[in-house]
């Protein structure tokens, strides 16, 4: 289930990086107008995207290295929950993530 593993890491990266840049780097204050917030959002998203390009190879390597562990965990979750397919496990994890 290698395809599932990079998806998890990409989701974690984008959520974490956006929150980090929004709260600590850009320090976007609350209560500013829509135009200023939109401008800050674009700056933050550009920074997150640039960071994703720099970290793409390490994230792919980590996903590849951890794919067997994710595969094992999905099989265990399938067995514990009594699900018929691993696709059901993927849908369950994605819908509750």
């Amino acid at each position: 289930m290698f395809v599932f593993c990079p998806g998890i890491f990409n989701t974690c990266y984008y959520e974490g990086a956006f929150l980090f840049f929004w709260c600590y780097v850009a320090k976007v204050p609350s209560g500013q107008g829509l135009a200023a917030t939109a401008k800050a959002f674009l700056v933050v998203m550009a920074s997150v995207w640039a960071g994703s390009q720099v970290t793409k190879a390490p994230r792919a390597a980590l996903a590849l290295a951890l794919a067997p562990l994710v595969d094992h965990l999905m099989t265990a979750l399938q067995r514990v929950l009594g699900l018929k397919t691993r696709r059901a496990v993927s849908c369950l994890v994605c819908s509750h993530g």
Side-chain angles (χ1 to χ4, degrees):
M1 188 69 35
F2 174 70
V3 173
F4 194 65
C5 202
I8 291 171
F9 286 118
N10 281 338
T11 300
C12 291
Y13 169 78
Y14 278 103
E15 287 179 9
F18 181 83
L19 289 173
F20 174 76
F21 276 96
W22 188 263
C23 296
Y24 297 109
V25 177
K27 297 180 182 174
V28 178
S30 61
Q32 63 183 5
L34 180 61
T37 302
K39 182 179 179 183
F41 176 79
L42 290 176
V43 169
V44 168
M45 284 307 296
S47 301
V48 170
W49 179 83
S52 76
Q53 301 310 303
V54 172
T55 62
K56 190 175 283 192
R59 286 185 293 123
L62 186 62
L64 185 61
L66 292 179
L69 176 64
V70 171
D71 185 56
H72 176 73
L73 291 173
M74 287 183 69
T75 300
L77 193 57
Q78 178 184 356
R79 185 175 52 252
V80 168
L81 296 177
L83 300 172
K84 293 182 181 181
T85 65
R86 301 244 314 259
R87 179 175 285 180
V89 175
S90 296
C91 290
L92 182 69
V93 169
C94 290
S95 68
H96 286 76

